C-alpha cells in the first residue's frame, strides 16, 4: 500500500465535495414542501380532545419511548402515556418502510427487550418489518397501547410551576397534563431535502425514502415486487445507508434506474444468516445484557474473552486490538497513544483497501467500479454492509450517474440535470437523509419551556446542551431527556443507550413517587460539574481532518460552536458510562438531584 498516495487521494476527494454552505444546503420540509412529511401509512381518525392528566407522558413512540415505558411498568409505575406522531409505535421503523430496509446492527443486541418479550430474531440482521412488529410486541407486552395517543404531534411543552405539572399541547388541539415528561424524539427524525435549484418544479412523482409511496410503486415493505415501476424511469438522489438498501430492489423492478451519487458509501460484507432456534434456546437468562456489554466493549476498543456478535462493526476494533497486543507482547514499553493512532490508521487503510477491492470483484464495468470506490476512512461516513448493492450496477437498466462530489446540478419539471446532461424521469426518490446539525426544537418540532419561561433553546443556545448524564436539565423539573448525547454517545448500537436511559428514568420517577416528591430536578452545580467533567475529558466522535463531508463531521465545516458540547461523551467511554449510571441509580442516592 502506498499510504502517502492514499492520503493524497482522500484529501483530493474531500476537496471535491467541500462546499461553503454546509448544513444550509438542505431544505426543511415545511411550507410548499410540507407534504413530504405526510403519513402515507394511516388515515388519521377524528377523536375527542384530551385535557386529562397522567403520571408520566413520553414524547415519541420509538425505541426510546418503548424501553422507558417498559422500564416504568416494570418499576410499578402504570399511569404512562406515550404520545406519538406516527399512526403506531416504531419511530424510525414506523417511518422507514422503504424496500430492503433492514438493520445493520446485529438483532441480538439491536432489538431491545428480547428476553422480556420472548422474541427470537429470525436472522442475525433482521428486516424492518420484523423490527416494526417487535415494537408492537413491546407495546402489547407492557400494555403501552392502553393509554397511548397516536397520530398526534406535540407542539409545546410548558411547565406550570404553581400546579407542578407539565402542560402538553398537540396538533390535535389537546391540552393534557403530566407530572413527569420524558422525551425521545430521535437524533435522525426529521427528513431533509437537497436544496437543488428547481426542486420545486418537478412534475413527476416524488417522495422521501422515509415516506415510501407503495401506492405508486406497488410492492410492499416485505419485498413484494414494485410492479408499478416496471415501465418507469426512476431516479434516486443519495447513496447513503438508506439508498444502499433500497437500490437492489429498485434495480430489480424499475424500467430504468438512475442513481445520482455525490459520495460513494463504503460497502462491507453483510453475510446474514438465519438464527438457529436450538442455539437460541440454550442461552442463559440474562444473556442480552451480557451481549450488549460485550458488543459495546469490543466496539469501543476494550478487551473481552469472546466476541459474541462478530460483525463488521467489531472487525476494525478487533484488528486494532490484535495489532496492539502483538506490539505490546514484543515490547511492553511500546504502548502509547501515538502507537494506538498509528495502529488504527494502518488497520483502517487495510480495511478500506479490502472494501475497494470488493468493488472491483463485484462490479463488471471498470469505470462504474472506479466511481463506486470510497476514498476516505471507514468511520468518516456511516459504514454500510450489503451483499447485493454493488451487483445492482451489473443490471443493464441501472445507471450510476456520478456527480464528482458536486451533487445534482438542477431539477427540471421532467427530470434531473448533472453537468450538461438531462435525465428524463417519471419518479424521483429523495434518499437525502435527515437533519442532524440543527437545533433541538427544530428537530423535535416543538419548544419546551421550563421554570420562569426559560426555553430549552435559550438554555442551550449560548454554551450548547447542558445536562446531568444527558437526562436531567436544571430549570426543567420533572423532565427527562432520553437519548445518547452527553452520556455514552454509543452510535454503533443506539438502543443500548436507550435501554439504560429508560432504566434510569424509571428509577428517578419511582424514587420521586416513593418519597412523595412533587419535583425532581438537577441542581445547577451538578449540571455544571457534569459539563466540566465532559469538557475536561473532551471525548467526542472526532472525524479525521481528511474526511469527506457529511453529517459525521458537520458537513466538513469547522465546528467550535456550542453544538459540539452536545457531542461530548463520558470521558472514560460508553462501557464506563453504563457502569457509572448503573451504580448511580442503584445506590438510591441520585447524587446531584433534588427531590422536593
Ligand atoms: P444520509 O444522510 O446518510 O445520506 C444522504 C445521501 O444524500 C448522501 O449520499 C448524500 O451525499 C446525498 N445527497 C445529499 N444532497 C445531495 C445532492 N444535492 N446531490 C446528490 N446527492 C446528495 O441519509 P440516509 O437516509 O442514507 O441514512 C441516514 C442514517 O440513517 C444513516 O447514516 C444511518 O445512521 C441510519 N440508517 C441506518 C440503517 C441501519 O441499518 N441501521 C439503515 C439506513 C439508515 P453525500 O454523502 O455526499 O453527503
Amino acid at each position: 500500500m502506498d499510504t502517502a498516495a492514499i492520503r493524497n487521494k482522500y484529501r483530493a476527494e474531500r476537496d471535491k465535495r467541500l462546499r461553503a454552505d454546509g448544513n444550509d444546503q438542505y431544505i426543511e420540509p415545511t411550507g410548499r414542501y410540507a407534504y413530504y412529511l405526510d403519513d402515507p401509512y394511516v388515515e388519521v381518525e377524528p377523536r375527542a380532545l384530551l385535557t386529562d392528566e397522567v403520571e408520566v407522558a413520553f414524547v415519541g413512540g420509538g425505541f426510546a419511548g418503548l424501553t422507558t415505558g417498559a422500564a416504568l411498568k416494570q418499576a410499578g409505575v402504570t399511569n404512562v402515556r406515550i404520545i406519538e406522531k406516527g399512526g403506531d409505535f416504531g419511530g424510525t421503523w414506523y417511518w422507514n418502510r422503504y424496500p430492503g430496509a433492514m438493520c445493520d446492527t446485529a438483532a441480538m443486541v439491536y432489538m431491545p427487550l428480547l428476553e422480556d418479550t420472548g422474541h427470537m430474531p429470525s436472522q442475525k440482521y433482521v428486516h424492518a418489518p420484523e423490527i416494526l412488529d417487535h415494537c408492537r410486541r413491546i407495546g402489547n407486552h407492557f400494555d403501552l397501547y392502553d393509554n397511548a395517543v397516536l397520530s398526534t404531534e406535540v407542539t409545546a411543552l410548558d411547565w406550570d410551576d404553581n400546579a407542578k405539572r407539565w402542560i402538553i399541547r398537540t396538533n390535535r388541539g389537546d391540552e393534557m397534563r403530566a407530572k413527569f415528561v420524558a422525551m425521545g424524539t430521535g437524533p435522525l427524525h426529521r427528513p431533509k431535502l437537497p436544496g437543488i435549484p428547481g426542486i420545486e418544479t418537478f412534475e413527476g412523482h416524488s417522495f422521501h425514502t422515509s415516506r415510501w409511496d407503495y401506492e405508486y410503486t406497488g410492492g410492499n415493505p416485505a419485498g413484494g415486487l414494485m410492479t408499478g415501476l416496471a415501465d418507469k424511469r426512476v431516479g434516486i438522489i443519495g447513496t447513503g445507508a438508506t439508498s444502499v438498501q433500497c437500490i437492489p430492489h429498485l434495480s430489480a423492478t424499475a424500467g430504468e434506474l438512475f442513481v445520482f451519487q455525490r459520495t460513494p458509501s463504503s460497502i462491507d460484507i453483510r453475510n446474514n444468516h438465519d438464527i438457529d432456534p436450538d442455539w437460541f434456546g440454550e442461552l442463559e437468562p440474562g444473556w442480552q445484557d451480557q451481549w450488549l456489554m460485550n458488543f459495546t466493549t469490543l466496539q469501543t476498543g476494550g478487551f473481552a474473552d469472546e466476541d459474541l456478535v462478530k460483525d463488521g462493526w467489531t472487525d476494525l476494533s478487533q484488528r486494532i486490538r490484535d495489532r496492539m497486543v502483538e506490539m505490546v507482547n514484543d515490547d511492553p514499553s511500546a504502548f502509547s497513544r501515538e502507537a494506538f493512532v498509528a495502529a488504527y490508521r494502518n488497520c483502517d487503510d487495510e480495511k478500506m483497501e479490502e472494501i475497494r477491492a470488493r468493488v472491483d470483484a463485484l462490479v463488471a464495468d471498470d469505470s462504474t467500479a472506479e466511481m463506486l470506490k470510497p476514498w476516505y476512512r471507514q468511520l468518516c461516513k456511516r459504514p454500510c454492509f450489503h451483499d447485493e448493492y454493488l451487483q445492482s450496477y451489473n443490471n443493464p437498466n441501472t445507471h450510476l450517474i456520478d456527480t464528482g462530489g458536486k451533487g445534482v446540478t438542477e431539477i427540471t419539471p421532467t427530470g434531473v440535470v448533472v453537468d450538461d446532461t438531462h435525465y428524463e424521469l417519471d419518479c424521483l426518490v429523495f434518499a437525502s437523509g435527515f437533519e442532524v446539525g440543527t437545533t433541538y426544537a427544530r428537530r423535535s418540532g416543538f419548544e419546551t419551556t421550563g421554570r420562569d419561561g426559560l426555553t430549552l433553546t435559550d438554555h442551550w443556545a449560548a454554551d450548547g446542551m447542558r445536562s446531568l448524564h444527558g437526562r436531567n436539565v436544571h430549570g426543567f423539573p420533572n423532565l427527562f431527556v432520553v437519548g445518547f448525547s452527553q452520556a455514552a454517545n454509543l452510535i454503533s448500537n443506539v438502543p443500548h443507550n436507550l435501554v439504560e436511559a429508560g432504566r434510569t428514568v424509571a428509577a428517578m420517577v419511582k424514587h420521586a413517587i416513593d418519597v412523595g416528591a412533587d419535583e425532581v430536578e438537577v441542581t445547577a452545580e451538578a449540571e455544571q460539574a457534569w459539563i466540566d467533567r465532559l469538557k475536561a475529558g473532551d471525548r467526542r466522535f472526532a472525524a479525521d481532518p481528511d474526511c469527506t463531508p457529511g453529517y459525521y463531521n458537520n458537513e466538513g465545516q469547522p465546528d467550535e460552536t456550542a453544538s459540539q458540547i452536545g457531542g461530548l461523551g463520558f470521558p472514560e467511554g460508553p462501557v464506563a458510562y453504563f457502569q457509572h449510571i448503573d451504580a448511580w441509580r442503584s445506590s438510591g442516592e441520585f447524587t446531584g438531584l433534588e427531590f422536593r
Side-chain angles (χ1 to χ4, degrees):
M1 265 189 301
D2 180 348
T3 51
I6 289 177
R7 239 12 30 82
N8 286 338
K9 176 78 173 159
Y10 284 7
R11 281 188 211 111
E13 289 297 311
R14 177 204 58 190
D15 292 349
K16 269 165 46 182
R17 164 67 177 81
L18 270 175
R19 45 193 288 167
D21 50 2
N23 279 311
D24 294 338
Q25 67 181 282
Y26 298 105
I27 299 176
E28 259 192 282
T30 52
R32 74 201 323 183
Y33 305 107
Y35 69 93
Y36 279 102
L37 294 187
D38 289 349
D39 186 342
Y41 313 122
V42 289
E43 285 289 328
V44 179
E45 301 286 338
R47 63 159 171 79
L49 293 186
L50 287 164
T51 53
D52 58 347
E53 180 170 317
V54 294
E55 184 126 48
V56 187
F58 197 102
V59 185
F63 277 164
L66 294 168
T67 53
T68 306
L72 285 162
K73 293 281 177 115
Q74 284 172 325
V77 182
T78 53
N79 189 356
V80 179
R81 168 173 293 162
I82 294 179
I83 306 167
E84 165 56 45
K85 182 168 74 170
D88 201 346
F89 292 147
T92 199
W93 299 104
Y94 175 84
W95 297 110
N96 287 285
R97 303 187 191 193
Y98 58 84
M102 67 185 301
C103 183
D104 281 345
T105 303
M108 296 287 281
V109 290
Y110 184 81
M111 293 173 93
L113 303 167
L114 287 176
E115 288 194 72
D116 304 78
T117 57
H119 179 65
M120 181 188 83
S122 62
Q123 293 186 295
K124 180 166 182 176
Y125 304 97
V126 292
H127 285 80
E130 183 169 337
I131 307 176
L132 181 55
D133 280 350
H134 187 59
C135 292
R136 294 174 176 141
R137 182 177 298 110
I138 296 170
N140 284 316
H141 187 86
F142 292 98
D143 297 327
L144 295 169
Y145 279 107
D146 294 352
N147 208 7
V149 181
L150 303 172
S151 296
T152 300
E153 199 170 350
V154 170
T155 50
L157 280 182
D158 294 292
W159 175 247
D160 179 341
D161 205 36
N162 294 320
K164 307 295 180 206
R165 291 291 180 269
W166 282 98
I167 301 168
I168 306 160
R169 294 188 176 81
T170 77
N171 66 338
R172 308 287 295 268
D174 308 306
E175 199 174 303
M176 308 169 225
R177 289 170 168 262
K179 182 168 177 187
F180 302 99
V181 168
M183 48 191 192
T185 47
L188 293 161
H189 161 90
R190 208 171 145 78
K192 64 184 194 227
L193 296 167
I196 299 168
I199 183 171
E200 72 288 354
T201 66
F202 185 64
E203 289 172 0
H205 200 76
S206 71
F207 52 87
H208 188 271
T209 47
S210 65
R211 305 289 190 276
W212 197 271
D213 188 353
Y214 285 105
E215 291 251 322
Y216 176 83
T217 64
N220 54 51
L225 275 187
M226 294 183 283
T227 47
L229 298 181
D231 58 349
K232 301 284 190 304
R233 291 168 62 89
V234 180
I236 181 164
I237 294 184
T239 48
T242 296
S243 198
V244 164
Q245 293 181 339
C246 67
I247 279 173
H249 294 260
L250 287 171
S251 173
T253 49
E256 297 285 324
L257 176 65
F258 298 86
V259 179
F260 299 99
Q261 171 180 275
R262 191 164 65 179
T263 314
S265 281
S266 71
I267 320 289
D268 208 348
I269 296 166
R270 165 77 308 155
N271 218 358
N272 203 5
H273 59 75
D274 290 348
I275 287 187
D276 173 3
D278 293 337
W279 168 82
F280 189 81
E282 284 166 13
L283 294 168
E284 299 284 336
W287 67 265
Q288 199 175 25
D289 276 348
Q290 284 169 16
W291 276 63
L292 282 167
M293 275 309 231
N294 178 270
F295 180 75
T296 301
T297 301
L298 292 175
Q299 216 277 310
T300 56
F303 289 83
D305 291 341
E306 197 186 351
D307 182 350
L308 293 168
V309 173
K310 291 189 203 73
D311 74 354
W313 285 107
T314 52
D315 181 54
L316 184 57
S317 322
Q318 187 69 48
R319 291 178 195 222
I320 301 166
R321 214 171 10 251
D322 289 350
R323 203 144 306 183
M324 293 306 289
V325 168
E326 208 177 289
M327 188 196 308
V328 173
N329 282 344
D330 291 347
D331 172 12
S333 68
F335 186 86
S336 65
R337 168 99 196 128
E338 291 70 33
F340 179 83
V341 170
Y344 159 63
R345 294 202 160 144
N346 203 276
C347 293
D348 186 82
D349 283 345
E350 190 181 277
K351 177 92 208 167
M352 291 307 286
E353 284 289 276
E354 286 170 20
I355 283 173
R356 289 187 285 266
R358 186 165 181 252
V359 180
D360 280 328
L362 296 177
V363 177
D365 177 65
D366 288 349
S367 71
T368 306
E370 266 330 291
M371 294 188 286
L372 286 166
K373 288 182 188 168
W375 291 100
Y376 46 82
R377 293 195 180 283
Q378 192 186 28
L379 298 180
C380 284
K381 293 180 92 68
R382 170 60 150 74
C384 296
F385 308 88
H386 213 285
D387 291 341
E388 291 94 37
Y389 171 73
L390 292 167
Q391 295 90 321
S392 302
Y393 295 97
N394 296 335
N395 295 338
N397 70 334
T398 302
H399 316 284
L400 179 67
I401 314 300
D402 185 63
T403 64
K406 297 289 169 234
V408 165
T409 314
E410 189 189 346
I411 296 178
T412 71
T414 55
V416 158
V417 178
V418 175
D419 296 330
D420 294 330
T421 310
H422 186 261
Y423 299 88
E424 293 276 330
L425 299 173
D426 301 300
C427 173
L428 182 55
V429 181
F430 291 108
S432 44
F434 302 84
E435 288 195 11
V436 177
T438 48
T439 64
Y440 191 87
R442 173 166 156 172
R443 275 184 291 128
S444 53
F446 61 88
E447 185 57 275
T448 305
T449 308
R451 197 188 301 107
D452 301 328
L454 179 67
T455 63
L456 258 191
T457 302
D458 285 344
H459 187 52
W460 289 349
D463 300 318
M465 180 179 175
R466 302 177 57 76
S467 73
L468 171 68
H469 299 152
R471 289 297 80 73
N472 308 77
V473 186
H474 182 67
F476 297 80
N478 297 5
L479 180 82
F480 311 107
V481 181
V482 175
F484 51 76
S485 301
Q486 298 198 335
N489 281 26
L490 177 70
I491 55 164
S492 55
N493 188 18
V494 171
H496 192 175
N497 303 271
L498 306 179
V499 166
E500 288 295 331
R503 289 174 180 164
T504 309
V505 171
M508 290 187 278
V509 169
K510 176 77 168 56
H511 187 73
I513 293 170
D514 287 350
V515 300
D518 284 332
E519 286 180 285
V520 48
E521 186 181 354
V522 56
T523 64
E525 296 72 30
E527 184 182 81
Q528 186 58 48
W530 185 253
I531 297 296
D532 291 344
R533 187 171 177 178
L534 298 182
K535 279 187 180 166
D538 197 23
R539 188 182 152 274
R540 64 179 90 178
F541 179 76
D544 196 277
D546 296 343
C547 276
T548 183
Y551 80 80
Y552 274 15
N553 66 350
N554 193 39
E555 290 293 330
Q557 307 285 324
D559 186 8
E560 292 313 320
T561 61
S563 64
Q564 282 286 46
I565 306 292
L568 291 176
F570 192 61
E572 290 80 30
V575 171
Y577 174 83
F578 292 138
Q579 288 162 344
H580 166 83
I581 204 69
D582 187 33
W584 181 84
R585 64 176 179 245
S586 308
S587 75
E589 290 175 16
F590 300 97
T591 310
L593 300 188
E594 278 180 353
F595 290 83
R596 294 188 286 265

